[in-house]
């Protein structure tokens, strides 16, 4: 829907005039590599478990669900203890309809008029929209040319702008860049020292680490969860959409201090997680090992694809490939008309994403067959553009 589809007689908010809805293209093509999904569908065993769980609660749908979703929060705690080695009580966990709702709730709780949120671009393109929707000012610090954080510039911006929220994505979207724990420690220290514009004296920024793609990190790489102890202003957002192959279920969750969780509980909508969503998520978490079984293979696919892309040439120059610990790769670095490359790939049945800095494109990892078709199509396109 374009903005001109909204009749002029409707009192649309002034700051929304001319805006268009967020969303990557949803097209019916053979190879969809544009929204960072796990290409391997849940098994029949997982589907059967979900069906049993849903059937068990179906006769109680006349009643509201557990608005605190305590059983699910305990399941998140068990998963994180195994995945990251961090044991948390359920009171330090919170679920929502995808990590998008988690992030929006954080902006609702800690943003607002007179407040600022700070990010490091290029980064996830929804962050400015969370800010807009909550009347929060959005500011960015530019990353370095290799897409790593400019730590000194970020610390300076935290002290200078006095944000209520600092949002860092790790691995970063759309670049795949991880956040080293020593850099996280520096940012946490800066937030501990900084004040917050428009807030009472003695308050400090909340540092949010968005770990939507963290399961795809290289083995041995720690999660920001390991820094939660002793940092009451740290919040770590997760999702089941990516590595869990659960994008259609819309389940995200947050790990943080009890204070942050309680703040989010203030702004949540009543009964925001349906009984059906809770049942499906609990069933999926019973099959954690199976659902994550393809993560190692997708990591290998990422490495192989990165090496292959680096051997391709565009106008006589090797393609640049951003170092990634996610399930996608940002590549190009010098495309003069990336829209044409996107269109030519689409003509060949391959959908990727035009996102990030000019001159770059992003492709997520698909099945072996999908990646083979991507490679063949890109070779054809590079030969003619």
């Amino acid at each position: 829907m374009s903005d001109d589809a909204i009749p002029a007689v409707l009192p649309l908010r002034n700051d929304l005039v001319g805006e268009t809805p967020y969303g990557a293209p949803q097209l019916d093509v053979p190879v969809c590599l544009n929204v960072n999904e796990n290409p391997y569908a849940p098994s029949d065993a997982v589907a059967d478990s979900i069906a049993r769980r849903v059937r068990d609660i179906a006769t109680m749908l006349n009643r509201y669900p557990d608005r605190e979703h305590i059983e699910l929060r305990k399941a998140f705690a068990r998963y994180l203890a195994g995945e990251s080695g961090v044991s948390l009580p359920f009171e330090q966990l919170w679920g929502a309809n995808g990590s998008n709702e988690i992030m929006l709730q954080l902006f609702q709780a800690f943003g607002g008029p007179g407040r600022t949120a700070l990010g490091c671009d290029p980064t996830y393109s929804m962050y400015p929209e969370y800010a807009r929707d909550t009347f929060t000012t959005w500011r960015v610090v530019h990353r370095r040319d290799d897409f790593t954080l400019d730590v000194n510039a970020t610390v300076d911006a935290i002290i200078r702008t006095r944000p209520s929220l600092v949002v860092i994505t790790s691995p970063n979207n759309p670049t795949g860049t991880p956040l080293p724990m020593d850099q996280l420690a520096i940012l946490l220290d800066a937030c501990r020292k900084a004040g917050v514009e428009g807030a009472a004296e003695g308050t400090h920024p909340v540092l949010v680490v968005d770990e939507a793609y963290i399961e795809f990190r290289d083995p041995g790489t720690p999660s920001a969860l390991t820094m939660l102890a002793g940092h009451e202003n740290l919040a770590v957002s997760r999702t089941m959409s990516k590595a869990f192959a659960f994008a259609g279920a819309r389940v995200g969750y947050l790990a943080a201090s009890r204070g942050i969780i309680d703040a989010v509980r203030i702004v949540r909508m009543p009964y925001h997680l349906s009984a059906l969503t809770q049942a499906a998520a609990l069933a999926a978490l019973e099959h954690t090992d199976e659902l994550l079984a393809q993560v190692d293979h997708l990591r290998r696919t990422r490495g192989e694809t990165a090496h292959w892309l680096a051997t391709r040439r565009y106008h006589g120059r090797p393609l640049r490939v951003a170092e990634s610990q996610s399930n996608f790769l940002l590549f190009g670095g010098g495309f003069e008309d990336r829209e044409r490359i996107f269109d030519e790939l689409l003509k060949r049945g391959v959908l990727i994403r035009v996102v990030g800095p000019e001159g770059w494109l992003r492709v997520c990892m698909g099945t072996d067959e999908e990646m083979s078709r991507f490679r063949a199509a890109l070779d054809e396109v590079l030969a003619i553009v």
Side-chain angles (χ1 to χ4, degrees):
M1 182 181 70
S2 63
D3 60 290
D4 61 5
I6 301 174
V9 295
L10 295 178
L12 186 66
R13 271 172 36 190
N14 292 338
D15 61 313
L16 296 182
V17 173
E19 295 283 345
T20 57
Y22 169 87
Q26 290 185 306
L27 304 175
D28 185 13
V29 297
V31 181
C32 290
L33 303 174
N34 69 324
V35 287
N36 305 337
E37 297 161 324
N38 186 327
Y40 298 102
S43 69
D44 288 343
V46 176
D48 289 342
S49 292
I50 293 172
R52 283 194 297 271
R53 282 264 188 180
V54 170
R55 178 64 183 83
D56 288 344
I57 57 93
T59 57
M60 296 181 286
L61 290 180
N62 59 312
R63 303 297 183 184
Y64 286 111
D66 174 11
R67 63 172 173 253
E68 299 296 330
H69 54 282
I70 291 174
E71 185 181 0
L72 180 56
R73 290 158 74 184
K74 290 179 177 178
F76 289 144
R78 290 191 295 271
Y79 167 67
L80 292 179
E83 191 272 340
S84 293
V86 177
S87 296
L88 298 169
F90 79 86
E91 291 91 348
Q92 285 189 250
L93 292 153
W94 184 251
N97 293 285
S99 58
N100 295 108
E101 187 176 35
I102 290 290
M103 296 301 300
L104 183 60
Q105 288 175 343
L106 287 167
F107 273 74
Q108 288 174 316
F110 299 108
R115 299 287 182 90
T116 297
L118 181 71
C120 297
D121 72 335
T123 192
Y124 184 35
S125 55
M126 271 298 296
Y127 296 151
E129 299 202 14
Y130 302 140
R132 177 201 68 195
D133 293 346
T134 57
F135 302 97
T136 307
T137 299
W138 176 248
R139 295 282 183 263
V140 294
V141 178
H142 298 306
R143 289 174 175 263
R144 298 184 183 278
D145 289 342
D146 62 357
F147 303 125
T148 57
L149 285 189
D150 187 331
V151 178
N152 290 337
T154 304
V155 168
D156 179 68
I158 291 171
I159 301 300
R160 186 181 68 257
T161 64
R162 296 162 55 86
S164 58
L165 285 165
V166 179
V167 184
I168 306 294
T169 315
S170 180
N172 186 44
N173 180 10
T175 66
T177 315
L179 174 66
M181 291 301 99
D182 60 341
Q183 294 185 4
L184 174 57
I186 293 171
L187 298 181
L188 284 167
D189 185 61
C191 288
R192 186 184 292 113
K193 296 174 181 176
V196 173
E197 190 70 29
E201 191 70 26
T203 60
H204 306 286
V206 171
L207 176 54
V208 183
V209 181
D210 186 347
E211 291 191 337
Y213 301 93
I214 195 66
E215 283 92 352
F216 296 105
R217 69 194 185 279
D218 293 340
T221 303
S223 159
L225 292 168
T226 59
M227 304 285 281
L228 277 176
H231 293 101
E232 63 181 10
N233 281 39
L234 173 62
V236 182
S237 174
R238 292 281 192 105
T239 185
M240 294 180 70
S241 294
K242 308 303 181 179
F244 264 90
F246 219 52
R250 309 305 300 127
V251 180
Y253 55 105
L254 177 69
S257 65
R258 296 189 186 193
I260 290 176
I261 298 300
D262 285 343
V264 166
R265 290 173 62 233
I266 291 173
V267 301
R268 63 98 191 273
M269 296 297 288
Y271 312 106
H272 70 293
L273 270 182
S274 77
L276 300 176
T277 299
Q278 293 182 46
L282 285 165
L285 287 163
E286 291 171 354
H287 292 267
T288 292
D289 291 344
E290 179 183 345
L291 284 169
L292 297 181
Q294 296 292 348
V295 167
D296 282 341
H297 181 69
L298 289 167
R299 284 196 200 101
R300 289 194 296 273
T301 301
R302 179 188 71 206
E304 293 164 0
T305 305
H307 175 76
W308 180 85
L309 284 168
T311 66
R312 304 299 100 179
R313 303 184 76 83
Y314 171 77
H315 292 183
R317 300 185 303 273
L319 296 183
R320 290 177 62 191
V321 184
E323 181 182 354
S324 174
Q325 289 201 19
S326 188
N327 68 329
F328 54 79
L329 291 165
L330 193 71
F331 68 98
F335 291 137
E336 296 170 5
D337 187 354
R338 62 177 177 173
E339 294 280 357
R340 184 186 174 197
I341 295 172
F342 171 87
D343 290 338
E344 291 292 342
L345 286 170
L346 189 57
K347 290 176 184 177
R348 291 160 175 80
V350 177
L351 178 62
I352 63 170
R353 188 77 183 270
V354 178
V355 69
E358 286 296 327
W360 295 83
L361 292 165
R362 192 190 70 194
V363 60
C364 73
M365 300 303 101
T367 64
D368 293 345
E369 179 183 355
E370 289 171 335
M371 298 312 294
S372 178
R373 293 189 63 169
F374 164 72
R375 291 192 296 270
L378 185 61
D379 270 341
E380 288 182 14
V381 172
L382 291 178
I384 64 172
V385 294

